[in-house]
Amino acid sequence: MHRAIPIGNKIVSKKERERNDDIHQRKLASMKSSLDRSAPQRFQHLSNNSKKEKQRESRFKEIQRENQMLLEKITTIMSSKKKSRSSPSLHRSGIDVKKEKTLNKEYRKQNLIRITMENQAILQRLQDRKSHYSRQKWFKDRATAEQYMKLSCQHQPVLLQDFNRT
């Protein structure tokens, strides 16, 4: 059972449908888009990361400063006229190597020996000391705590099984 719209004349109905289709096609052709498909507006503060740029600049300045300091050190080493008492190969390369003698070597050596002896004495005292922990006291305290828990709980508490008491 097809329930179509009742029409009086098929030819007139066909002409009416064609006219409506033609009007519809003209409207579609003349219709303007209601969507803005252009690129969105660019905000300058979002595209430029100024914080990163400042960090990069400061890093480059720091590297440049360190390079300048190294260059100055190299020029002073190369331009120094000091004669070295070190090996000729080091002297030719421009590196001034001196063996410096310390004035407090004996004092530091005695201090190191004294500290080592004190550490040995402390270690010996720790090794000779007997432990003051008692496993029996621990077990007794555990049993007491379990008794208190059983008294305070409404239901039977789930406790660890009897562990090895050796």
Side-chain angles (χ1 to χ4, degrees):
M1 293 181 54
H2 297 290
R3 295 193 175 179
I5 300 173
I7 52 172
N9 191 341
K10 289 183 180 181
I11 298 172
V12 174
S13 175
K14 184 179 177 188
K15 287 278 190 185
E16 180 80 21
R17 199 173 343 117
E18 287 174 359
R19 190 176 69 82
N20 286 340
D21 286 343
D22 188 41
I23 291 171
H24 179 68
Q25 290 299 325
R26 275 189 272 133
K27 283 183 178 179
L28 285 177
S30 66
M31 184 172 65
K32 291 184 180 178
S33 173
S34 63
L35 295 176
D36 182 17
R37 294 180 44 179
S38 62
Q41 182 181 1
R42 292 268 189 189
F43 294 105
Q44 192 67 19
H45 70 281
L46 294 177
S47 62
N48 291 343
N49 194 345
S50 60
K51 183 176 181 180
K52 190 183 284 186
E53 290 294 325
K54 286 180 183 178
Q55 287 176 343
R56 190 178 295 138
E57 276 183 36
S58 66
R59 184 171 163 260
F60 286 146
K61 283 181 183 178
E62 181 70 23
I63 290 171
Q64 188 65 25
R65 188 178 63 81
E66 289 176 1
N67 286 343
Q68 186 65 31
M69 289 170 52
L70 285 173
L71 183 64
E72 289 174 5
K73 286 180 182 179
I74 289 172
T75 53
T76 55
I77 289 172
M78 296 300 283
S79 65
S80 69
K81 304 281 183 175
K82 293 182 181 180
K83 298 288 181 182
S84 172
R85 286 179 267 162
S86 62
S87 67
S89 65
L90 288 176
H91 182 65
R92 270 185 267 131
S93 67
I95 300 172
D96 191 19
V97 178
K98 293 182 184 177
K99 290 199 172 194
E100 296 185 19
K101 294 184 180 180
T102 178
L103 299 175
N104 60 354
K105 181 179 180 182
E106 287 299 319
Y107 171 74
R108 288 191 299 143
K109 190 174 182 180
Q110 288 173 359
N111 199 14
L112 180 64
I113 292 171
R114 179 185 57 83
I115 291 171
T116 306
M117 296 294 283
E118 288 175 1
N119 287 343
Q120 289 292 329
I122 291 170
L123 177 65
Q124 189 63 40
R125 280 189 286 162
L126 287 173
Q127 288 175 342
D128 291 343
R129 184 80 179 172
K130 299 225 177 184
S131 175
H132 67 276
Y133 295 113
S134 170
R135 290 187 71 207
Q136 285 78 23
K137 186 173 184 282
W138 284 352
F139 290 133
K140 184 179 173 186
D141 289 343
R142 164 100 185 199
T144 307
E146 286 179 2
Q147 285 291 36
Y148 289 146
M149 189 181 299
K150 286 179 184 177
L151 290 174
S152 64
C153 290
Q154 184 176 11
H155 300 288
Q156 183 69 21
V158 178
L159 300 173
L160 293 175
Q161 296 297 323
D162 190 25
F163 45 91
N164 193 7
R165 296 181 184 216
T166 56

